[in-house]
Amino acid sequence: MVKDSIQVSLIGNPNTGKTSLFNRLTGLNQKVGNYPGITVDKKQGTCKLTSEVKAVITDLPGTYSINPTSIDESIVLKVLNNTKGENYPDVILFVADVENLKRNLLLFTQVQDLGVPTVLAINMVDEMGKKGISIDTEQLEKELQTKVVLVSAKKNDGISEMKELLANPASLPLGYNFSSITAKINEQYFSELQKVNPNASLYELWLSVTQKSFLTNSKEDFSSFLDDVTQLKKYQQKETIYRYQRINEILKKTYTLDRSKATDVRSRLDRIFTHKFFGYFIFFGILLLIFQSIFDWATVPMDYIDGVFGSLSESLKAQLPEGMFTSLLTDGVIPGIGGVVIFIPQIAILFFLIAILEESGYMSRVVFLMDKIMRRFGLSGKSVIPLISGTACAIPAIMATRTITSWKERLITILVTPFTTCSARLPVYAILIAIIIPDKKVFGIFNLQGLTLLGLYVLGFSAALIAAYVLNKVLKMKSKSLFVIEMPDYKIPSLKNVLFSVIEKTKSFVFDAGKIILSISIILWFLATHGPSSYYEVEEKVKTELASQNLSEQELEQLIASVKMENSFIGIAGKTIEPVVKPMGYDWKLGIGLIASFAAREVFIGTLATIYSIEGVEDEGTIKERMQAEINPDTGEKRFDFATGMSLLIFYVFAMQCMATLAVVKRETKSWKWPVVQLVAMGIIAYSSATLVYQFLS
């Protein structure tokens, strides 16, 4: 009897279109979690294979071999080795790339030898004509002893046939080839290995020997098979050689590549995009275009959102009776939510453009191009991936360092990644740039605000490289690594995949950052509207002292609000730290903003919005208008002048203002030593740089 719900695992090399196929099958029915006991993302979704059969589909991390070299790659091995685990598949959907079939089939033969029903899906078949490729599917099925389906995740070709095969795992053939390999390596050795557990498959036992560091739950004693490490490595090398020999024989019969029929432009494009001189200019130009777009495209929706929240707060103040609830709603909750929602347009545009670069295949060329630079600073070429990923968020970027095999290179990458400008900094940058940098064109083409934003990104990335160079000289650790990067074909980005990426990442920002900002906004509202006993006597005291002055009602209310704020809990705390932040050009309100932003950088704007709302700034309106209206009482000039604004921008370029990132660094390094070093070092650099900038510009 066929089960009404089955477990399907997606397995394949990186860049074979696994994610596209996963999105095609599951649509919006997806969730992201962690594997039990492992801090690696697990993407799962549900799919209706037939009218009677549903499937839970797990997208396993991409790997080139079942013999892993990193934590991410070990997931495939662990999932397939744990027959009683919740993620153990009823059937495997192995995704291969039509142009790199030879390399893909190495992992396929290893997976097949584990005895799990497997369907081989050869993806991107819509490119076969352009590449001059033809495949004898029937002969390939016979040689591999499996079911083969030609699919195109982009055009939905072959998906129905693939679903039907997956829906009935019992009908799938099982191909076992490992015994033919062991006979060539050392038949006596493997015969003795089988005796350790006659009920287990020989290949499972072999993996228990060769991957003992990853498979720690084996009950059998394999010590006698681990005595000669040199011999063991030779056997592993021979296994790979014999697998490739068999794969070559199969592909000679079934796979044809005729370059004379190909209409491929990949090579010509690669010569341009990876050029040792022009390649960097092209990349820089693309970055410039992205940052111009962030400001030019997002201005209208941001101004609209800002105005809506400002009007909503004022409207509710006018309609609701005065009291604590109204104050909480209009001065705490609404400014807090507005401090998140206003930046959705810019963040969505950033994620949209980065997703297009990834989908098109260009981002892999960037990684290849930047590897030459990375080596000079003591980093691995693979370090580029976390550094670029850090433009979205430092947390997944730091987790992405698991692909770096050298501990020294991985540790350095972890420590410097927070210098790259993440999306959490974008709200701070955006509003400060809008206030202090004029909105005008340079050379009639470039937006000055966009150029400033690009400069901050370049400064952060440069700081990461300089810090990496210093750490490489300071940290006395031996290091040896090999850089391998997949160069996928160029392709027209799938709008569906791009939108999935934008929605998922923007939603993550809104809900993750939003919860923090809203919570802190409410806490700040409480601290700003309450204080010691003297706080509650301020209003009457001010009215008595100013009774003789002819102040309008509005002026009196504003003055009372300002004095009450200074005497509140938050005002007392701010006044206490003001001497520390004053050299940077900040007053106690900005000091409170800096402290609050240790939870998350983007909290800074929400904090100021809450403080200025409660203080009752004249001509209350949008967040930007309230910040622009703030006056420095010492000078009588605007608080956010050029010197102060630049000081804040420089501070946030270098400061480690994110508790969640510190927690992830601790988890990845298994020590509090490195996050503390990171926090202190980046804090000192940020404070010193911001102070110098302010003192110089003022």
Side-chain angles (χ1 to χ4, degrees), residues 346-579:
Q346 286 187 323
I347 288 167
I349 290 169
L350 176 65
F351 288 150
F352 176 77
L353 295 174
I354 288 177
I356 287 176
L357 295 181
E358 290 174 343
E359 275 278 309
S360 66
Y362 176 71
M363 197 59 85
S364 295
R365 274 72 188 177
V366 173
V367 173
F368 172 78
L369 188 69
M370 297 300 290
D371 175 56
K372 301 168 187 176
I373 295 176
M374 294 294 103
R375 292 290 172 186
R376 298 174 186 174
F377 293 91
L379 293 171
S380 161
K382 292 182 179 179
S383 299
V384 179
I385 298 172
L387 290 175
I388 292 175
S389 301
T391 58
C393 180
I395 294 170
I398 288 170
M399 293 169 68
T401 61
R402 294 172 186 152
T403 59
I404 302 172
T405 52
S406 163
W407 170 241
K408 181 180 180 181
E409 290 173 353
R410 185 184 172 202
L411 177 61
I412 292 174
T413 307
I414 287 172
L415 294 177
V416 305
T417 292
F419 278 116
T420 58
T421 296
C422 64
S423 59
R425 286 183 175 105
L426 192 57
V428 182
Y429 290 173
I431 203 158
L432 289 173
I433 289 172
I435 291 172
I436 68 169
I437 303 297
D439 183 12
K440 66 178 184 181
K441 298 290 183 181
V442 178
F443 303 119
I445 303 173
F446 304 113
N447 183 297
L448 185 59
Q449 293 179 337
L451 288 172
T452 304
L453 182 62
L454 175 60
L456 294 173
Y457 271 76
V458 171
L459 180 59
F461 194 80
S462 300
L465 293 182
I466 294 169
Y469 181 82
V470 173
L471 287 169
N472 186 48
K473 299 296 182 184
V474 171
L475 296 176
K476 302 301 180 184
M477 301 176 184
K478 291 184 178 180
S479 173
K480 186 178 181 181
S481 67
L482 178 67
F483 174 63
V484 179
I485 180 67
E486 179 78 17
M487 297 285 272
D489 270 352
Y490 295 100
K491 59 180 180 180
I492 297 173
S494 163
L495 183 60
K496 187 175 182 180
N497 288 343
V498 170
L499 290 179
F500 272 138
S501 177
V502 172
I503 291 169
E504 182 182 318
K505 291 177 179 178
T506 304
K507 188 167 65 175
S508 175
F509 169 81
V510 170
F511 288 103
D512 292 347
K515 285 184 287 188
I516 297 171
I517 293 173
L518 184 57
S519 300
I520 290 179
S521 295
I522 293 171
I523 293 169
L524 289 170
W525 166 84
F526 176 82
L527 295 175
T529 55
H530 294 76
S533 56
S534 59
Y535 170 83
Y536 301 98
E537 301 168 0
V538 165
E539 186 169 349
E540 289 302 321
K541 188 177 179 182
V542 172
K543 285 182 178 179
T544 302
E545 291 177 355
L546 300 176
S548 61
Q549 298 185 23
N550 295 321
L551 296 176
S552 67
E553 186 178 341
Q554 185 180 8
E555 289 174 332
L556 183 61
E557 286 181 1
Q558 186 176 333
L559 188 57
I560 290 171
S562 181
V563 175
K564 286 178 75 174
M565 172 70 79
E566 291 190 32
N567 286 273
S568 67
F569 288 127
I570 201 171
I572 294 168
K575 291 289 185 180
T576 303
I577 66 169
E578 191 170 38

Side-chain angles (χ1 to χ4, degrees), residues 271-286:
R271 282 195 292 272
I272 298 170
F273 289 131
T274 62
H275 191 275
K276 62 182 179 180
F277 181 74
F278 294 112
Y280 296 103
F281 277 93
I282 293 170
F283 179 47
F284 188 81
I286 290 172

Side-chain angles (χ1 to χ4, degrees), residues 10-31:
L10 255 70
I11 296 177
N13 290 178
N15 295 305
T16 55
K18 233 169 18 79
T19 300
S20 297
L21 206 52
F22 177 73
N23 289 337
R24 173 67 69 179
L25 289 170
T26 60
L28 291 172
N29 302 313
Q30 302 177 8
K31 62 179 181 179

Side-chain angles (χ1 to χ4, degrees), residues 124-136:
M124 306 177 195
V125 293
D126 52 306
E127 300 289 321
M128 286 174 63
K130 296 177 185 177
K131 306 292 181 185
I133 296 171
S134 61
I135 299 174
D136 185 341

